[in-house]
Amino acid sequence: MTSPLPSSSAASTAPAASAASAASAVSVLDLAPVVPVVVVGDAADAVPLARALVAGGLPAIEVTLRTPAALDAIREISGSVPEAVVGAGTVITPDQVTACGEAGARFLVSPGWTDALLTAMRASGLPFLPGVSTTSEVVALLERGVREMKFFPAQAAGGTAYLRSLAGPLPQARFCPTGGIGPDNAPEYLSLPNVGCVGGSWMVPADAVAARDWPRVEALARTASLLRAAGGTCR
């Protein structure tokens, strides 16, 4: 599979010196401890928002398909912020997979998965993180050769205790937990051996985006970028 990142079934542990160089050799799970989950209401905000996040040390950015501006935002970031590794989130249909690829998304994230969606994501050639919340879903994806997944909704589905329980019998699975994660509990998630990164939106608060307070976003991103060190045992 040709892609700017390895497929979700072939993770790498090479260090991420920069978004551009890391993107050719490193899984999206290893680019930064936190993947900002971004809802863009106005595509004009996409580029300055992405630049603030990258400047703060968070190059992997998930733009969710929750607004009409989402695809345009992905297109703008892809074309104007080469240091960013922009992905699409809340991908739930094969048609969205195609549209996201055409807009310039470099990875795909779904809240859940079906065989049809999985087939489309694999066929896109882009790295993807299909969503899971049960052991059976994890085993089903491993059976299909997928080892990297989104754990969603993380807190509601059992949180760190659940993921810790999965690490023993299913050590080959790696996760990006998302849902109910913030700066207070992110270090605990990042300390788990089967967690590569977490997803969250606390570094892009709605009031800061509405005010176009990009220095505040950058400062929050910089603090988030240091959470792996706070987690201690996370590789």
Side-chain angles (χ1 to χ4, degrees), residues 16-232:
S18 67
S21 61
S24 64
V26 180
S27 163
V28 67
L29 294 187
D30 297 316
L31 287 177
V34 180
V35 175
V37 179
V38 177
V39 179
V40 180
D42 184 345
D45 293 333
V47 168
L49 176 59
R51 285 176 175 157
L53 292 170
V54 171
L58 301 181
I61 302 168
E62 176 188 335
V63 177
T64 67
L65 301 185
R66 300 181 192 176
T67 70
L71 289 175
D72 284 337
I74 291 170
R75 192 172 292 108
E76 290 293 328
I77 296 170
S78 176
S80 301
V81 193
E83 318 93 275
V85 180
V86 60
T90 323
V91 178
I92 58 174
T93 70
D95 286 345
Q96 287 178 331
V97 171
T98 300
C100 291
E102 291 175 348
R106 295 173 65 184
F107 64 93
L108 306 169
V109 183
S110 66
W113 65 277
T114 65
D115 282 325
L117 181 59
L118 191 68
T119 297
M121 290 193 294
R122 197 189 297 273
S124 74
L126 297 172
F128 55 89
L129 297 174
V132 297
S133 60
T134 69
T135 306
S136 294
E137 291 172 316
V138 175
V139 172
L141 285 176
L142 291 174
E143 186 178 77
R144 290 161 172 77
V146 179
R147 297 200 302 267
E148 295 188 348
M149 311 165 196
K150 170 178 178 174
F151 181 56
F152 176 83
Q155 283 291 93
T160 55
Y162 194 93
L163 287 170
R164 190 176 293 111
S165 297
L166 291 180
L170 302 172
Q172 63 273 54
R174 296 183 73 216
F175 301 95
C176 173
T178 305
I181 298 177
D184 293 334
N185 60 1
E188 184 179 1
Y189 279 95
L190 291 167
S191 72
L192 300 177
N194 55 352
V195 170
C197 64
V198 300
S201 58
W202 72 89
M203 73 297 301
V204 284
D207 60 336
V209 175
R212 294 179 168 83
D213 188 351
W214 310 129
R216 181 183 171 199
V217 170
E218 180 179 340
L220 290 169
R222 184 170 293 107
T223 299
S225 74
L226 302 175
L227 286 176
R228 175 162 286 141

